[in-house]
Amino acid sequence: MSYAYLFKYIIIGDTGVGKSCLLLQFTDKRFQPVHDLTIGVEFGARMITIDNKPIKLQIWDTAGQESFRSITRSYYRGAAGALLVYDITRRETFNHLASWLEDARQHANANMTIMLIGNKCDLAHRRAVSTEEGEQFAKEHGLIFMEASAKTAQNVEEAFIKTAATIYKKIQDGVFDVSNESYGIKVGYGGIPGPSGGRDGASSQAGGCCS
Amino acid sequence: MQEAELHDLSDDADYAASQQQGSSSTMRTDSIKRSSSNEPDGAEIVYSKDNVAIHPTQFVSERISGRLKLIKQGSSLFMTWLPYKEQNSNAKQIEKAYVDRNLYTIKAVPFTEVRSIRRHAPPLGWQYVIIVLSSGLAFPPFYFYNGGVRQFLATIKQHVFLVRSAEDASVFLVNDFENPLQRTFSSLELPRLVSVASGPSTPISVGESPLKENQERINGYESSSISQYNGRQRQKVHDPTRDISIQVLEKFSLVTKFARETTSQLFRDGHSNGFGTFEKMFDSQPAQDDLHKASNNAEKVTDEIPVASDPLEFDKLSLVWGKPRQPPLGSEEWATFLDNEGRVMDSEALRKRIFYGGVEHGLRREVWGLLLGYYAYDSTYAEREYLRTIKSQKCILAFLLNYDFSISPEQARRFTKFRERKGLIDKDVVRTDRALTFYDGDDNPNVNLLRDTLLTYSFYNFDLGYCQGMSDLMSPILFVMRDESESFWCFVQLMERLGPNFNRDQSGMHSQLFALSKLAELLDSPLHNYFKQNDCLNYFFCFRWLLIQFKREFEYEETMRLWEVLWTHYLSEHLHLYVCVAVLKRYRRKIMGEQMDFDTLLKFINELSGHIKLDAILRDAEALCICAGENGAANIPPGTPPSLPIDSGLFYSQQEDEVL
Ligand SMILES: Nc1nc2c(ncn2[C@@H]2O[C@H](COP(=O)(O)OP(=O)(O)OP(=O)(O)O)[C@@H](O)[C@H]2O)c(=O)[nH]1
Ligand SMILES: [Mg+2]
């Protein structure tokens, strides 16, 4: 499938908060509690439509364990969007947000759009972080915020799409120079043909034809 | 070697307090003091050191200083550590602190209960030691604020049998003897060996649990294996079972004497070739042997295959392949490698055979134990069986798990680290190979076994603890061994090689990635230069390959095959690095042709999972390894995991601190 834009996303946050489950729910529309923990990074992709334009999301699901960070950081480079995830039933995952944010700000580009996700909201009875606290943190740090559940799919679609819409708006507003790939955006057909538009398999095959 | 200097202590309240407390005793401690009133009758203090501290938490204010002593009574050596009383103003605080501090008091631990001492000499900070008991539990690290680790070890060595581990040069084994039977006797908690027979005709009864079958098997082998044993180099070694009974009767006090006799006997009989002291021999022999053979062999093979003089020429030699792979070693052929007692007659031939074809699944349980060093190649069936029996007697798992539940809430708070780890392990074992029948479904007992073994390991090696990736390494081992205790011990052996991969600071991984880049540069400099130009020089895209030995890149069965090939350490202990280069080389045209950038490359490499042809890649890797020859080895910095035991003739050579 061809796309107008390709956005690179990263998903970050403590181990076990449900990053891989969110990705799987978004790409495959299923919740699979028995999948492997993430070593290094895993990839997912899906097409969405914003403003009638097909947009491909290429999503990097990173490993959450602290000691891997020196390596996973190198994956942040050139991401247009980030989903920063915590687990509403585990307070410490919320407490660590600041350090994740700092990492992201340091190693990703400054215009990266960050969506804060309080995951596992289906486990309301075990909630350890209130919705207000999540909202407050997001407000303080200029993030978009949603509570979601990879299990019930609540707000999963919305989180990914809202992030994309925000990035898209930034493009419309001229915030990015989209021909500069370090912003995590690639232009497909109909856009400005970037010098390296052929690098991505999908775009080179699709070059020029419409969806 | 020098003792670590005192580093910045300005923030260390405890240290400051202890300095005020008594600098005179601090100064004198290195001299041996005779006991006077305090010690029990006949006891002699052979070592005493002030300002040896433990750090129960990361908070400086909670560090506890104390005095570490070695006491000799009769033929036994004991260790004590008593915290200083806190010199604080607030009475309540003192009381509370005193109670807390006393939790850590160590009253006379006999060295018969000590398995090993790990010495840490971090480049910054104090030297410290971790003392591991034969139960598998370890004391918290002792920090020697005033130095003295060396003397501590030297003093111990004067009184008990202490030898540097062949696998890890920073570990000193207490009462560890060469053959697995004897090692078992000494390193296991003898108290659990309730009664031990003194003659071959009487059954060995091991602990309380009914292990009739095993016992009978042992008895069946007993007389023959022992006489055979005596026939080989060890004429003067008594029936080991009799020695145990003596030890038990005399409450372990003879262990050290027994050990000395055995080993000196061993070396008087066996080897007299130019090596000086027998400690040296003891330390270096196995490693030397292996290295020697391996390099000899590499030469031999090299002779058969045309080698490019310039490694860059290698591409032109793409027809040069490793030898054809063979079918896995089957049981009939396996039998030909063993003598009638079950000893591997030619371990090098065996490793070579496995290198070229792996082993059939049914043989893995035994063969993996050998490859990983859990069993010695010259162990007999009976000894291996006995080792299994004995080691499972340790009940170390149950002990640890009980420990978790029986501690008081007050103590539990101190165990936050433990609980964190347990939480992490609990989360990870349900996310490890659950698609496999062996681990699938709810309440699968194997998942619990996986958790228990990892938990035990995190205690056993408290410094390293648990880190993600370990469950991937444990999973196939448990799948093969089926048994909790065997899996645990095999994992311990594997971690002797791969442990540094899991260092918190990723130093082990970085050194492997570095070695990989050096090898790639040697074996495919155009590709390496391509990576350089495209900002891919860190080779991070190979991270997962290295961390868990390609576990996620192959089908389960193939992973097991690859591992046993790697574990042979035939041709190279770093064959996995050549495997990396071999894969990259296979796809170099695509990588360079499509001008992949870091992101695209990473994604591409990730998605190779399931598409790499194992046999072909192994042949490539073999060819590359031979082709690189000594240049290859020279490009891998010493100490890059998984390294073979370091040959260290010096008892106290300064070691890099690999753990932590
Ligand atoms: N109830 C509930 N459980 C969830 C949800 N999302 C994830 N989980 C569970 O949380 C555990 C961890 O989820 P993962 O997606 O593997 O976590 P991760 O963030 O990818 O963790 P790492 O890969 O280790 O960094 C899994 O066992 C899931 O079953 C959710 O929305 N609700
Ligand atoms: Mg994950």
Side-chain angles (χ1 to χ4, degrees), chain B residues 578-638:
Chain B
Y578 293 94
V579 173
C580 293
V581 179
V583 179
L584 294 175
K585 251 177 126 44
R586 279 231 155 197
Y587 295 97
R588 70 196 296 270
R589 193 160 297 163
K590 196 168 165 60
I591 293 169
M592 290 163 73
E594 293 180 13
Q595 288 282 303
M596 292 187 188
D597 59 8
F598 179 81
D599 281 17
T600 318
L601 181 63
L602 183 65
K603 186 159 181 288
F604 173 74
I605 297 280
N606 246 47
E607 286 165 1
L608 281 181
S609 172
H611 298 288
I612 305 172
K613 296 210 167 47
L614 180 62
D615 277 352
I617 283 298
L618 280 173
R619 289 179 72 168
D620 286 3
E622 182 196 353
L624 286 169
C625 184
I626 292 165
C627 204
E630 282 181 4
N631 281 337
N635 272 284
I636 301 171

Side-chain angles (χ1 to χ4, degrees), chain A residues 15-21 35 38 64 119-120 122 149-151, chain B residues 431:
Chain A
T15 176
V17 295
K19 298 183 294 296
S20 299
C21 287
H35 63 275
T38 309
N119 189 37
K120 308 199 187 178
D122 57 295
S149 164
K151 187 171 181 179
Chain B
R431 299 188 293 161

